[in-house]
Amino acid sequence: MTAARVAGYGRIDRSRKLGFTFDGRTHLGHPGDTLASALLADDVMLMGRSYKYHRPRGPVTAGSEEPNALVGVDRGPGRYTPNLRATTIEIHDGLKAESQNHFPSLKWDFGAVNDMMSPLFAAGFYYKTFMWPKSFWRRVYEPVIRQAAGLGRPPKAADPDLYADRYAHCDVLVVGAGAAGLAAAEAAAISGAKVMLVDEQAEPGGALLAEIRVEIDDAPAQGWLAARLAALNARANVTVLARTTAIGLYHQNLVGLVQRLTDHLAEPPEGAPRERLWRVRAKQVVLAQGAIERPLVFDGNDRPGVMLADAARTYLTRYGVRVGAKPVVVTAHDWAWGAAVEMARAGASPVVVDARDTVSSALLAEAQALGVEALTGWTVTATHGRLRVKGVTANPVRGAHVGAGRRLPADAVLMSGGWTPTLHLHSHVGSPIAWAAEREAFLPAQTAKGVRVAGAGAGAETWADALGEGAQAGAAAAADAGFDAAARVYAVSEGLKPTGRRMKEMASHLPSSRQRAFVDFQNDVTAKDIRLAVQEGFRSIEHVKRYTTSGMATDQGKLSNINALTIAADALDKEPPQVGLTTFRPPYTPTTFGALAGHAKGKLFQPTRRTPIDPWAEANGAVFEPVSQWRRAWWFPRKGESMHEAVLRECAATRERVGLFDASTLGKIEVVGPDAAEFLERIYTNPWRKLGVGRCRYGLMLGEDGFIRDDGVIGRVAEDRFHVTTTTGGAPRVLAHMEDYLQTEFTDLRVWLTSVTEQWAVIALNGPRARDVIAPFVEGQDLAPEAFPHMSLAECRVCGVPARLMRVSFTGELGFEVNVPARHGRAVWEALWAEAQKHDGLAYGTETMHVLRAEKGYIIVGQDTDGTVTPDDAGIGWAVGKAKADFVGKRSLARPDLIARGRKQLVGLAVEGATPLEEGMQLVDDPAQPVPMTCVGHVTSSYRSAALGRPIALALVENGRARMGETLHAPDPALGPGGARSAVICSPVFYDPEGARLDA
Amino acid sequence: MLLIHCPHCDEARPEIEFAHGGEAHVARPLRPAEMDDAAWGRFLFFRANPKGMHAERWRHAHGCQRFFNVLRDTRTDEIAASYLTGAPRPDLPSAPRPDPEAAAAAPSRPEA
């Protein structure tokens, strides 16, 4: 037993025991333990396997920056969470955790053969190794890589948990409840400002939780911390949130927080949300994110038992776990000596290997007094052991010469390369950082408006500095938020400010190419890989990152980025600021999709809009399809019918007798005012001034670029009142387009626009019997063809309710559209339906509507057009008022590109064979030409036509109208190599080209 | 998420209530027919796209539905002013930035 609990240390509650399992074995821990500390207390150092080489790994940190000790936690079906850091998981009774990325077991992993073949897997191996033969990629390499890659496995069942969200506002938000954050919160709180203090750990306190030597305001740090937290919690103007990670800082001080609510509980309350996403808008933000200790880069620095010096100190002082009896401390920084001294006081026998030739005499004296052996001017060139470190080789360094090695027994290796200020949130809003040469670290250069950085994140290296700067930041933030605030001074008993040296790789007699010196533990990136990337020509740190994958895994380079940069800078013979850091992006630590989705899933993902007639359609067995946010009846199958059969039946019945269609989703805009006609004149391509009251006209809307944006029938209800219809999906866009011109360009016009989409239910009746069905219900309008011809509009009564009745058709048959107030929609539909039954009519859905309109060559904007189609391209140049001086888009229609020859034009396709083409199929002249082929067009609409008894299609084809009768081909890989369908170009009007049926 | 002051409602509201409307002060020519192709092309397609203070249109789409203009620094997303459509652009300088050396150390923003 080398690692063990030590009496008298730690914040854990030793009076209570908690039972949990790791890989099926039961362990005991105490309240206050993390999974990592409890396992270490049971002498379990091996906790995972690495991503690429499957090397055995143990925890290297004691915090959220952990790259190695990733585990899966199983909370039951659908509640398995992979890739959680053992260093942040709070244990509870019944916790089930398991290690990942190994087969068959953590100790015996077949994947570790990758480690023996590591020369094959150097930086960029994907791009080099798997290139030949080309055909092997899809069948051999990719499946094998997919099998081997990745860390944890995702859960299979849907996540049954509830995730909450909340908005909040405060005067001062403090991120991080360490020394600086506490001081900032206290200074702001005393001023009366509304303060939020958030911290990712289970209890606030940050590094203070592991501080047992220092006294603040004449009280031991632990007691001082408890008193400060109690005081803050007692204030009504302060909210302290633990287990809450600030995942991102966004514009204007919006901070995203994820609060973990129940994962730490053995028995979560029924129905309690698992996590809560907070969106906090803070007047002022103080970032006290702290700093992360830097690992050192040397051969074998990833062996289980090698960890950061301050992590080892934290395991001892916070959790009462001594990670080894014979630790070797490797460093070039005073910080690590503190860890050595603390381990010695707890009964261990540490040896310190310091790369510096001289260290302060005070450090040496303190070490010697505790029997700590110190080797200054030495390096470590190797570690030994397999599943746990057993020893290191240390060598003296004289100038550039590395002397003969001395083998030191070791059950833990504690390393420290100094500290890296955490600048993530600061950088999220694009704030600049600057290289501070004397501290050998990047520091904030200029903060965003209303943002301050304090404490170790701003470069503070002592408790006194962290507390003092924190208090000043908190007071200044409160002052800027409008409160009368002052910073106090804290009295701290502590020794000298620690100093140290930044290291690239530790000195070695071996070249970097012969070392396994890891820079990024999680992605298995070595110093050799970084140097190789530079040698192969990568100059930008962003490219080095992507080529080597350094900094790309779940820890996002929290440990590795600065060492990768230092080594790349050395290889490039530049200073670190000239090479630069990669960009920090939210989230700070991995975040569940559940927290981000919150309630917006399943039925609540987006609203479902339903028409007044929707319940009838549901009761009558409709199959629905989503159109924008509407759900629309797609087709009405009879027993045993396929979609194809139902649609053919609906089409035939409508053409032969009568069909009812719920068109309520059509966008409707009431355009009113003395200048309404003039406004439409400018917005639509068609002329409107002379349209008579009671008449309708097809309206075509362009963008200023001359391309089709929307269309619909517009009826003139009165001199100053138009009933404008739009496509179902286009309604909000069209209204915004109209408002834009009305408010910002045509400000001379007196016009008012009102969306009335949901005010009117619309029932379309089409077919030769349509008049017979509706006539019995209409009061106040003669429906005889002469009195109410095609494209008429009347305000009348239908079924006794006020209605706008239009004689229009989107099928090519005699057609009426009845607009009635939405609340009467269902009743009117049912009355018309009952009447239609007498004529052997039926209800049809959107699929039949599509087929019938395609048979007539009527376009659907957004299906047959794609934002690059002009009226002439679509074959509806007749809708453009040639005599009009101006309308939106008119000038563009004369641009050279828009009148050039060779534009794609809408044509029909007479398809050969019995099956329709696929919409989106590309069309070519010669299907035997080599790939890549020259495409001359594509299919926009394709259906089986009941009326014609064969498939039809609409297509956009280069010069299509000049190519009538020519044959095109649609390559179809489903037909085998070289397979293609063929079709003959024809008019897009397949049915009743004279339009005689409209005027029935 | 931006906090945008709507001058019509006289309230700062979250960005999700608004729709961006492109660069401001790009007036539609009064007589497009008299413009040559190059001039019309400039009106249609050419925009300032500055790194710095940008005058842009916003519509309070889930509020009063009205358009207005905003001055936003595209480097910091700080909004310096919001004002009514048709009003002149306020004369505000871009926010000062640190010296070039410090700026050079700013995290780059590549594609990715």
Side-chain angles (χ1 to χ4, degrees):
Chain A
M1 195 91 170
T2 57
R5 293 272 189 207
V6 188
Y9 284 90
R11 297 173 62 87
I12 49 169
D13 176 5
R14 292 179 198 243
S15 68
R16 285 173 57 206
K17 285 187 173 148
L18 303 172
F20 66 96
T21 64
F22 180 61
D23 284 342
R25 276 194 58 183
T26 301
H27 298 267
L28 291 176
H30 300 291
D33 262 327
T34 63
L35 179 63
S37 69
L39 286 173
L40 286 170
D42 266 2
D43 209 21
V44 176
M45 184 63 80
L46 176 64
M47 295 188 196
R49 288 272 174 175
S50 69
Y51 178 77
K52 194 159 82 174
Y53 299 136
H54 290 247
R55 283 169 71 94
R57 293 281 167 79
V60 70
T61 75
S64 68
E65 67 273 28
E66 174 60 33
N68 279 348
L70 299 187
V71 302
V73 171
D74 191 354
R75 293 179 297 117
R79 292 189 162 100
Y80 179 84
T81 314
N83 298 337
L84 292 173
R85 290 139 294 171
T87 51
T88 64
I89 298 169
E90 295 172 62
I91 61 162
H92 58 73
D93 261 327
L95 174 74
K96 277 168 71 180
E98 60 180 41
S99 57
Q100 309 181 146
N101 204 30
H102 52 69
F103 174 83
S105 76
L106 184 56
K107 286 188 179 170
W108 300 101
D109 176 18
F110 183 74
V113 295
N114 282 4
D115 195 30
M116 287 177 251
M117 301 196 298
S118 66
L120 289 177
F121 299 140
F125 75 102
Y126 279 109
Y127 317 116
K128 296 169 186 164
T129 313
F130 302 113
M131 295 300 287
W132 297 279
K134 206 174 168 185
S135 63
F136 266 42
W137 175 254
R138 215 177 52 145
R139 298 214 179 107
V140 182
Y141 296 144
E142 195 188 351
V144 169
I145 291 171
R146 288 218 179 281
Q147 180 67 32
L151 291 162
R153 57 184 170 86
K156 295 228 164 29
D159 184 348
D161 276 320
L162 186 71
Y163 296 84
D165 56 27
R166 187 175 288 181
Y167 289 83
H169 295 262
C170 65
D171 296 309
V172 180
L173 173 73
V174 182
V175 176
L182 282 167
E186 191 165 61
I190 288 168
S191 78
K194 190 177 171 193
V195 175
M196 289 181 78
L197 173 63
V198 304
D199 194 280
E200 62 175 352
Q201 297 203 65
E203 45 182 345
L208 278 175
L209 294 167
E211 180 52 64
I212 58 171
R213 298 292 162 202
V214 156
E215 293 194 341
I216 306 171
D217 290 347
D218 296 324
Q222 299 293 302
W224 181 88
L225 170 60
R228 290 349 294 155
L229 282 172
L232 282 171
N233 277 317
R235 299 191 74 102
N237 61 328
V238 178
T239 306
V240 182
L241 298 176
R243 301 187 182 91
T244 303
T245 304
I247 58 169
L249 175 62
Y250 305 90
H251 313 304
Q252 291 160 307
N253 282 357
L254 183 78
V255 187
L257 310 175
V258 173
Q259 182 183 18
R260 290 168 297 281
L261 298 165
T262 55
D263 273 9
H264 63 288
L265 301 174
E267 286 170 24
E270 190 71 27
R274 182 185 176 212
E275 296 179 351
R276 174 179 292 127
L277 179 72
W278 292 73
R279 296 173 181 88
V280 182
R281 184 75 71 171
K283 285 184 186 151
Q284 299 287 320
V285 169
V286 176
L287 300 176
Q289 286 196 280
I292 293 173
E293 199 171 19
R294 282 180 213 173
L296 291 172
V297 181
F298 53 92
D299 190 29
N301 65 343
D302 67 323
R303 217 172 290 286
V306 182
M307 67 172 69
L308 293 168
D310 199 60
R313 192 182 65 90
T314 299
Y315 283 119
L316 177 60
T317 58
R318 180 169 171 191
Y319 301 104
V321 178
R322 200 188 64 203
V323 298
K326 290 174 289 185
V328 170
V329 176
V330 187
T331 190
H333 203 286
D334 294 354
W335 258 104
W337 290 69
V341 164
E342 207 63 61
M343 295 290 279
R345 283 183 181 141
S349 320
V351 178
V352 178
V353 178
D354 197 314
R356 296 172 294 178
D357 290 330
T358 54
V359 297
S360 85
S361 51
L363 282 184
L364 279 173
E366 191 180 15
Q368 272 165 8
L370 287 159
V372 176
E373 185 182 356
L375 303 172
T376 56
W378 281 57
T379 184
V380 165
T381 57
T383 66
H384 312 284
R386 195 174 76 86
L387 300 180
R388 171 150 193 178
V389 67
K390 285 182 181 151
V392 304
T393 301
N395 313 56
V397 183
R398 294 291 168 267
H401 177 73
V402 176
R406 173 181 151 195
R407 174 104 177 218
L408 301 172
D411 54 5
V413 177
L414 315 183
M415 57 185 170
S416 178
W419 292 84
T420 303
T422 302
L423 299 172
H424 291 66
L425 265 63
H426 165 78
S427 299
H428 286 173
V429 287
S431 297
I433 54 177
W435 179 250
E438 74 287 358
R439 285 185 171 148
E440 300 187 312
F442 285 105
L443 294 175
Q446 186 191 347
T447 54
K449 197 173 176 184
V451 177
R452 288 174 177 79
V453 185
E461 291 173 318
T462 63
W463 291 120
D465 284 352
L467 288 163
E469 290 173 15
Q472 280 171 14
D480 279 359
F483 294 84
D484 192 7
R488 54 159 296 191
V489 176
Y490 297 85
V492 186
S493 72
E494 62 188 326
L496 292 172
K497 190 179 275 193
T499 62
R501 196 171 98 200
R502 172 169 54 99
M503 302 293 292
K504 43 184 177 49
E505 300 99 313
M506 297 289 284
S508 175
H509 55 285
L510 292 173
S512 99
S513 60
R514 290 183 55 201
Q515 296 181 49
R516 309 299 299 283
F518 287 86
V519 174
D520 188 306
F521 295 109
Q522 196 172 107
N523 268 349
D524 278 338
V525 180
T526 62
K528 170 191 160 185
D529 293 325
I530 306 279
R531 291 186 180 278
L532 184 66
V534 170
Q535 192 185 323
E536 292 185 359
F538 294 94
R539 293 289 177 272
S540 155
I541 193 69
E542 296 282 3
H543 293 158
V544 170
K545 166 179 168 169
R546 280 155 186 79
Y547 190 59
T548 62
T549 72
S550 178
M552 288 178 73
T554 67
D555 61 334
Q556 287 288 292
K558 289 188 181 67
L559 295 186
S560 64
N561 277 352
I562 193 74
N563 281 335
L565 168 64
T566 303
I567 293 167
D570 182 64
L572 287 163
D573 200 19
K574 287 180 177 175
E575 281 301 306
Q578 294 174 281
V579 181
L581 258 187
T582 54
T583 307
F584 296 112
R585 291 190 180 83
Y588 176 64
T589 49
T591 303
T592 62
F593 285 118
L596 298 178
H599 296 294
K601 61 181 182 180
K603 283 184 176 173
L604 297 179
F605 180 66
Q606 63 172 359
T608 300
R609 302 173 76 185
R610 292 167 202 231
T611 75
I613 297 154
D614 177 275
W616 185 93
E618 183 165 306
N620 283 270
V623 175
F624 291 94
E625 68 165 337
V627 180
S628 297
Q629 288 178 329
W630 293 97
R631 82 164 194 169
R632 300 194 72 180
W634 197 358
W635 76 91
F636 291 87
R638 287 184 182 162
K639 202 162 187 172
E641 251 184 353
S642 68
M643 173 180 180
H644 169 54
E645 292 160 346
V647 170
L648 288 183
R649 175 176 52 75
E650 291 173 14
C651 287
T654 304
R655 292 244 182 265
E656 288 161 19
R657 299 180 299 278
V658 65
L660 261 66
F661 177 67
D662 178 6
S664 302
T665 65
L666 276 181
K668 294 172 278 291
I669 299 169
E670 191 96 340
V671 178
V672 182
D675 300 316
E678 172 61 22
F679 178 67
L680 295 180
E681 192 83 5
R682 299 187 196 178
I683 290 288
Y684 283 87
T685 63
N686 326 60
W688 299 97
R689 286 197 202 93
K690 290 179 186 163
L691 184 72
V693 171
R695 295 296 296 164
C696 301
R697 179 167 285 162
Y698 172 76
L700 185 61
M701 173 183 281
L702 307 183
E704 202 69 271
D705 53 14
F707 297 125
I708 295 173
R709 288 291 196 281
D710 203 79
D711 67 354
V713 169
I714 299 175
R716 192 163 199 168
V717 180
E719 276 300 318
D720 61 351
R721 183 176 295 266
F722 289 82
H723 181 102
V724 174
T725 66
T726 75
T727 56
T728 292
R733 197 170 58 236
V734 170
L735 182 63
H737 175 83
M738 289 182 171
E739 285 285 357
D740 190 349
Y741 279 93
L742 191 57
Q743 291 180 32
T744 70
E745 294 292 350
F746 306 147
T747 52
D748 55 319
L749 300 182
R750 288 161 301 161
V751 177
W752 290 268
L753 307 172
T754 309
S755 167
V756 290
T757 300
E758 293 183 346
Q759 276 62 42
W760 295 108
V762 185
I763 302 161
L765 295 96
N766 281 273
R769 307 273 181 83
R771 186 181 289 110
D772 303 329
V773 172
I774 195 168
F777 302 100
V778 177
E779 301 164 60
Q781 178 60 45
D782 180 1
L783 295 188
E786 321 76 60
F788 200 62
H790 184 52
M791 296 308 252
S792 296
L793 176 146
E795 287 189 293
C796 57
R797 294 183 91 81
V798 176
C799 297
V801 302
R804 283 183 183 168
L805 180 63
M806 299 161 83
R807 194 179 149 191
V808 293
S809 172
F810 199 43
T811 60
E813 302 296 330
L814 168 65
F816 296 89
E817 282 183 9
V818 191
N819 292 260
V820 292
R823 65 184 182 280
H824 300 301
R826 171 111 187 241
V828 173
W829 171 278
E830 299 217 29
L832 294 172
W833 165 256
E835 189 67 19
Q837 297 303 288
K838 298 175 189 167
H839 300 273
D840 202 11
L842 46 57
Y844 65 91
T846 50
E847 189 65 20
T848 291
M849 177 267 284
H850 274 93
V851 177
L852 296 177
R853 65 91 201 175
E855 288 173 344
K856 288 292 294 177
Y858 297 152
I859 62 163
I860 288 187
V861 172
Q863 175 164 345
D864 301 298
T865 71
D866 60 6
T868 67
V869 176
T870 67
D872 185 63
D873 296 343
I876 48 177
W878 53 262
V880 178
K882 303 287 185 300
K884 291 172 65 171
D886 190 18
F887 55 80
V888 173
K890 178 178 169 70
R891 175 63 185 84
S892 289
L893 293 180
R895 290 183 62 237
D897 286 350
L898 271 59
I899 54 176
R901 295 173 59 83
R903 291 189 61 82
K904 286 183 182 175
Q905 297 169 329
L906 191 77
V907 294
L909 292 180
V911 180
E912 291 177 11
T915 23
L917 300 179
E918 294 288 333
E919 288 172 357
M921 269 182 157
Q922 296 293 311
L923 299 168
V924 300
D925 287 326
D926 172 15
Q929 65 184 299
V931 175
M933 298 188 186
T934 301
C935 298
V936 298
H938 62 273
V939 177
T940 61
S941 293
S942 175
Y943 310 95
R944 296 168 203 266
S945 165
L948 279 72
R950 58 181 171 82
I952 59 166
L954 298 176
L956 285 166
V957 175
E958 284 174 21
N959 280 330
R961 286 199 292 272
R963 301 187 59 186
M964 291 294 155
E966 294 182 28
T967 300
L968 292 177
H969 306 273
D972 185 356
L975 301 175
R981 303 284 308 276
S982 46
V984 177
I985 301 176
C986 62
S987 159
V989 187
F990 294 90
Y991 183 77
D992 186 27
E994 304 79 26
R997 302 180 70 88
L998 276 177
D999 294 319
Chain B
M1 194 194 309
L2 296 171
L3 205 54
I4 298 171
H5 181 259
C6 170
H8 301 288
C9 300
D10 196 18
E11 268 193 64
R13 307 290 304 172
E15 185 183 339
I16 47 167
E17 292 187 10
F18 298 85
H20 192 263
E23 186 175 337
H25 308 293
V26 183
R28 186 176 192 269
L30 288 175
R31 279 175 287 279
E34 294 170 13
M35 295 171 73
D36 62 22
D37 287 331
W40 182 252
R42 272 195 300 279
F43 160 70
L44 273 187
F45 302 121
F46 285 68
R47 295 295 182 266
N49 195 26
K51 186 176 183 179
M53 208 56 90
H54 185 232
E56 58 197 17
R57 305 174 340 129
W58 286 83
R59 180 171 61 94
H60 200 176
H62 298 285
C64 66
Q65 286 280 354
R66 300 193 67 184
F67 282 83
F68 58 95
N69 294 338
V70 154
L71 274 186
R72 180 176 61 95
D73 191 322
T74 58
R75 298 168 303 181
T76 61
D77 274 325
E78 243 173 69
I79 292 179
S82 63
Y83 53 103
L84 297 177
T85 301
R89 174 184 168 140
D91 189 17
L92 289 173
S94 285
R97 296 290 281 181
D99 61 273
E101 202 179 311
S108 56
R109 290 195 170 269
E111 63 301 335

